[in-house]
Amino acid sequence: NEKYPSNLELVLKTMEGMRLSELPKEEATTLIDRVENYDEVMLLDPLPNLYFQRDPFASVGNGVLLHKMYSKTRSRETIYDEYVFKYHPDFKDVPLYYSRNDVDHIEGGDVLNLNESTLAIGISQRTNPDAIERTAKRIFADENSLIRTIYAFHIPVSRAFMHLDTVFTQI
């Protein structure tokens, strides 16, 4: 495509979002085509929360958790990380202990590496116990995993305690 000649430009566009008016417009054939405000209709929503990179994935020991985000609006963010961990030669062989395609929600703000062998994960509005249990089973099943202990901390469902890292920040 001449609009996005490089992969970088295409990826940046997927982050920025795309309006319907940016596509080639054919002649209006229906009433909605004639009255719709194409400058305002988003075909692909922007991803403003990409700034918060601690949420889509977490490095744990010698592996990675690729999270299933709590908010549907943030679920596309993990697509980029999935491609990096799947195709980049430096990361394609890193153990994946959680996948964005798993059922339960988990976010990086709830995952803290306390030391090389100990992990803390918060049970919060955005991370549920089933995700933690699934993560623990996969980590402990990997004989090469450096993680030997996982603590799960139940934190209040409150904006002030959104993630385990916000609780520790306050402490």
Side-chain angles (χ1 to χ4, degrees):
N1 182 325
E2 54 276 341
K3 253 188 167 177
Y4 311 107
S6 73
N7 288 339
L8 175 61
E9 290 171 283
L10 179 61
V11 168
L12 291 174
K13 187 60 183 170
T14 66
M15 292 176 184
E16 175 186 315
M18 179 180 279
R19 296 183 185 283
L20 192 55
S21 61
E22 295 178 68
L23 294 178
K25 187 174 179 186
E26 297 182 15
E27 184 177 329
T29 57
T30 66
L31 181 58
I32 192 79
D33 291 335
R34 296 176 193 279
V35 296
E36 192 68 58
N37 186 347
Y38 284 96
D39 288 337
E40 295 177 16
V41 176
M42 294 299 295
L43 184 64
L44 183 65
D45 289 328
L47 298 170
N49 289 314
L50 276 174
Y51 177 79
F52 301 106
Q53 277 299 293
R54 60 115 155 85
D55 288 332
F57 76 93
S59 297
V60 292
N62 57 338
V64 68
L65 308 179
L66 184 56
H67 301 134
K68 175 162 181 106
M69 306 296 280
Y70 172 77
S71 166
K72 193 170 190 164
T73 59
R74 294 196 68 191
S75 65
R76 281 185 24 237
E77 293 177 33
T78 57
I79 293 171
Y80 304 107
D81 303 312
E82 180 179 44
Y83 277 94
V84 169
F85 291 116
K86 191 172 184 177
Y87 298 110
H88 192 286
D90 291 345
F91 302 109
K92 66 183 177 84
D93 296 323
V94 171
L96 181 65
Y97 297 127
Y98 206 83
S99 166
R100 66 183 301 274
N101 299 312
D102 282 321
V103 176
D104 302 297
H105 299 110
I106 186 168
E107 291 194 9
D110 285 320
V111 180
L112 298 175
N113 289 282
L114 299 180
N115 61 41
E116 70 178 20
S117 64
T118 308
L119 193 60
I121 306 178
I123 303 167
S124 70
Q125 177 190 33
R126 297 178 181 214
T127 297
N128 60 31
D130 290 335
I132 298 169
E133 188 170 352
R134 183 173 285 111
T135 298
K137 285 179 180 179
R138 290 175 181 166
I139 288 173
F140 294 145
D142 179 2
E143 62 188 36
N144 295 317
S145 172
L146 303 174
I147 304 296
R148 299 287 177 249
T149 306
I150 299 175
Y151 295 107
F153 293 95
H154 194 271
I155 59 177
V157 176
S158 163
R159 185 83 174 152
F161 303 111
M162 183 183 301
H163 288 299
L164 186 61
D165 65 0
T166 57
V167 173
F168 277 92
T169 299
Q170 292 179 30
I171 292 172

